Amino acid sequence: MSTTPRPMVTDIFIEGARKGWTVATTSTLPNVVMAFILIKALEITGTLSLIGKVFAPVMGVFGLPGEAAAVLIGAWMSMGGAIGVLIGLFERGILAGEHIAILVPAIYLMGSQVQYLGRILGVIGTRAARIPLMIGISLLNAFLAMWLMRIIL
């Protein structure tokens, strides 16, 4: 029989809250703030409009405005950043709820590849020749998910 006292539920909760706060303030929040700033900069410079025009044919296949490509570009770099871009476009009336439902699965299927290329694939010794294939499969999955979500909606 163990004589170690069981931790109180409140102690476990507080420890979890501290860890969650640390993740939110050191990882998620900076990415989201950066994304809001990026969207504003793209809007001010007219680049967001250009992205919308260039990507309109491709994104239209999924029932999305061309500007939604900015969300996917963000997702490729950072999932938190992509969510920030998505909310920024929603706030400006460019994206609607249906668009968000189509984009969210793609965000998580593409999820932060740029970050993970160096952090994981390089560290574990993945052969460089396989990395483009891995990225391609992830992108294909994301586009299939968007197409399927469009059909469902």
Side-chain angles (χ1 to χ4, degrees):
M1 191 165 200
S2 176
T3 59
T4 307
R6 292 179 57 193
M8 294 199 44
V9 171
T10 53
D11 293 336
I12 294 170
F13 174 82
I14 290 176
E15 180 62 26
R18 280 189 186 123
K19 288 179 182 178
W21 179 257
T22 300
V23 168
T25 58
T26 62
S27 179
T28 305
L29 188 61
N31 285 324
V32 172
V33 170
M34 178 263 321
F36 276 109
I37 293 168
L38 177 64
I39 284 298
K40 190 63 176 174
L42 291 175
E43 190 176 53
I44 290 170
T45 62
T47 307
L48 186 59
S49 177
L50 179 63
I51 289 171
K53 289 175 185 165
V54 169
F55 289 100
V58 174
M59 300 312 288
V61 170
F62 306 106
L64 299 168
E67 293 87 350
V71 175
L72 299 179
I73 293 166
W76 195 58
M77 293 184 268
S78 161
M79 286 189 288
I83 295 298
V85 171
L86 184 132
I87 297 303
L89 293 175
F90 177 75
E91 184 180 75
R92 284 165 181 71
I94 296 170
L95 295 179
E98 181 177 314
H99 299 137
I100 292 171
I102 292 169
L103 285 165
V104 167
I107 290 170
Y108 289 100
L109 288 168
M110 290 175 64
S112 306
Q113 289 182 342
V114 170
Q115 288 181 6
Y116 297 142
L117 284 175
R119 286 187 194 167
I120 299 170
L121 297 180
V123 172
I124 64 172
T126 302
R127 286 192 288 177
R130 291 194 176 157
I131 291 175
L133 177 62
M134 295 168 83
I135 291 171
I137 289 169
S138 177
L139 293 175
L140 177 64
N141 286 338
F143 285 115
L144 286 172
M146 289 191 311
W147 178 73
L148 184 60
M149 287 302 292
R150 173 143 193 234
I151 291 171
I152 291 170
L153 296 173

